[in-house]
Amino acid sequence: MEHKDKDTLLSLKDSYHQIPVPDQARNAVLEGIQKGKKEKRNTIMMKITKRSALSAAAAVSIIAIMANASPVTANAMENIPVISAIAKVVTFRTFSDNQDNYEAKIDIPKVSINEKDNTGVNRSIEDYANQLIKEYETQVTQDIAGNGHYSVTSGYEVVTDNSKYLSLRINTTVIMASGVEYVKIFTIDKGTGEVVSLNHLFRGDNKILEHISDNIKSQMAEQMAADDSKVYYYNSEEPTEDFKGLKGEESYYFNEKGEIVIVFDEYEVAPGYMGVVEFTIPKSVTGY
């Protein structure tokens, strides 16, 4: 009985496979299979493309940070094609001297944007460094008795590197009887390769500079009211020495939020113990 049932099943199976399949049904099945394979392949390619794009973006971001974090790294990567369009800042040369009570170490950076040697910017940077060197050499020359003391240290850092601007900050400390800090920031338009002053940034609109100046004065007043240890040259007993307002040539940079930060040298708008001071200006004030 069991053997007979098995033969019956095999017979039915053979009959099933011999049933003719209409061409229309066969074609529909084949098209469905091909469509399924195509959709699966597209899904896989989309995942790969998305993953590659994210990886590339991350890589470019890391490269940009490395290029500006270390002059040595930037020099080593300078000839790699993938970063040829990234702004690079490297040490062009270093002035160094050490004799008796006099010493100097001044790093002079060089900027390259979009594979171009930004001659105008680099000339301005070198002129600024040469002023520091000249002052140092003058001090050494004038000290005939050899009893003087003078030390100058100058380095740099990138404080802004976004799609439109590169801000190179040069920090200088000069020590005689006491130390004084100076800051010079070169904010460069990546599109033109030129240094952009506050006047240029706001197209000579004095009203905006006045608004920013008023905001700085308000910040000074608020900080002094909240903290007795903070003192600014504003509403002081010596009105002639008080901060009057911006002239449009002050150092500035853009922070991560895109806000303008105005930077003043030590002693410029506050007593020496306050050091270099900065004021972040809200976008509602600058309209930028």
Side-chain angles (χ1 to χ4, degrees):
M1 181 69 178
E2 219 175 280
H3 181 70
K4 184 177 180 181
D5 289 342
K6 185 175 180 180
D7 289 343
T8 301
L9 287 174
L10 288 174
S11 177
L12 290 173
K13 181 178 178 182
D14 289 338
S15 299
Y16 170 77
H17 283 295
Q18 291 175 9
I19 297 174
V21 179
D23 291 339
Q24 186 176 358
R26 182 186 297 275
N27 291 337
V29 171
L30 292 175
E31 287 178 4
I33 293 172
Q34 292 300 321
K35 184 178 179 181
K37 289 182 178 179
K38 184 177 181 180
E39 288 178 352
K40 183 177 181 180
R41 183 167 59 251
N42 288 342
T43 300
I44 293 172
M45 290 303 296
M46 285 176 66
K47 288 182 179 179
I48 293 174
T49 301
K50 184 177 181 180
R51 189 180 299 116
S52 299
L54 290 172
S55 299
V60 169
S61 177
I62 292 170
I63 289 170
I65 293 171
M66 290 175 63
N68 288 316
S70 167
V72 175
T73 303
N75 273 323
M77 299 194 304
E78 195 166 14
N79 295 320
I80 301 177
V82 72
I83 61 171
S84 61
I86 296 176
K88 295 186 289 292
V89 181
V90 299
T91 300
F92 172 61
R93 66 185 177 93
T94 297
F95 173 83
S96 182
D97 187 55
N98 193 330
Q99 49 180 306
D100 298 325
N101 295 324
Y102 290 86
E103 58 181 338
K105 184 178 184 299
I106 301 171
D107 290 329
I108 305 171
K110 179 180 179 180
V111 176
S112 176
I113 300 175
N114 296 329
E115 293 187 310
K116 295 179 182 177
D117 183 3
N118 296 83
T119 306
V121 171
N122 291 323
R123 186 182 297 117
S124 297
I125 293 171
E126 192 166 9
D127 286 345
Y128 180 75
N130 286 336
Q131 291 177 12
L132 300 175
I133 296 170
K134 183 179 179 180
E135 179 60 28
Y136 170 78
E137 292 177 335
T138 298
Q139 293 292 331
V140 174
T141 303
Q142 290 179 348
D143 183 21
I144 300 175
N147 298 322
H149 175 80
Y150 192 89
S151 171
V152 56
T153 304
S154 185
Y156 63 89
E157 61 179 318
V158 173
V159 289
T160 301
D161 188 3
N162 57 36
S163 61
K164 191 170 183 180
Y165 296 104
L166 174 76
S167 291
L168 178 65
R169 175 171 177 154
I170 299 178
N171 302 300
T172 304
T173 300
V174 175
I175 300 175
M176 293 180 74
S178 61
V180 182
E181 294 181 69
Y182 299 97
V183 172
K184 176 67 175 177
I185 299 177
F186 294 89
T187 294
I188 305 159
D189 185 322
K190 288 185 174 181
T192 64
E194 300 294 331
V195 175
V196 183
S197 67
L198 281 173
N199 273 327
H200 187 187
L201 183 68
F202 298 122
R203 298 177 177 83
D205 189 338
N206 291 329
K207 286 293 183 183
I208 297 179
L209 290 179
E210 288 178 13
H211 292 326
I212 296 175
S213 299
D214 290 341
N215 182 265
I216 290 174
K217 292 174 185 177
S218 296
Q219 290 191 47
M220 288 178 172
E222 290 172 3
Q223 289 182 32
M224 288 189 291
D227 187 346
D228 291 339
S229 68
K230 292 191 175 182
V231 176
Y232 292 102
Y233 298 148
Y234 177 64
N235 279 345
S236 70
E237 295 178 357
E238 297 291 338
T240 56
E241 301 296 326
D242 283 354
F243 171 68
K244 302 296 189 301
L246 299 176
K247 297 178 180 178
E249 297 300 328
E250 290 77 8
S251 287
Y252 75 96
Y253 64 94
F254 294 93
N255 63 18
E256 294 180 352
K257 296 180 180 179
E259 299 167 316
I260 292 175
V261 181
I262 310 293
V263 183
F264 293 98
D265 289 335
E266 185 175 344
Y267 290 104
E268 191 173 0
V269 296
Y273 75 86
M274 292 280 288
V276 171
V277 295
E278 303 184 3
F279 295 92
T280 301
I281 314 301
K283 290 185 178 181
S284 58
V285 174
T286 63
Y288 199 82

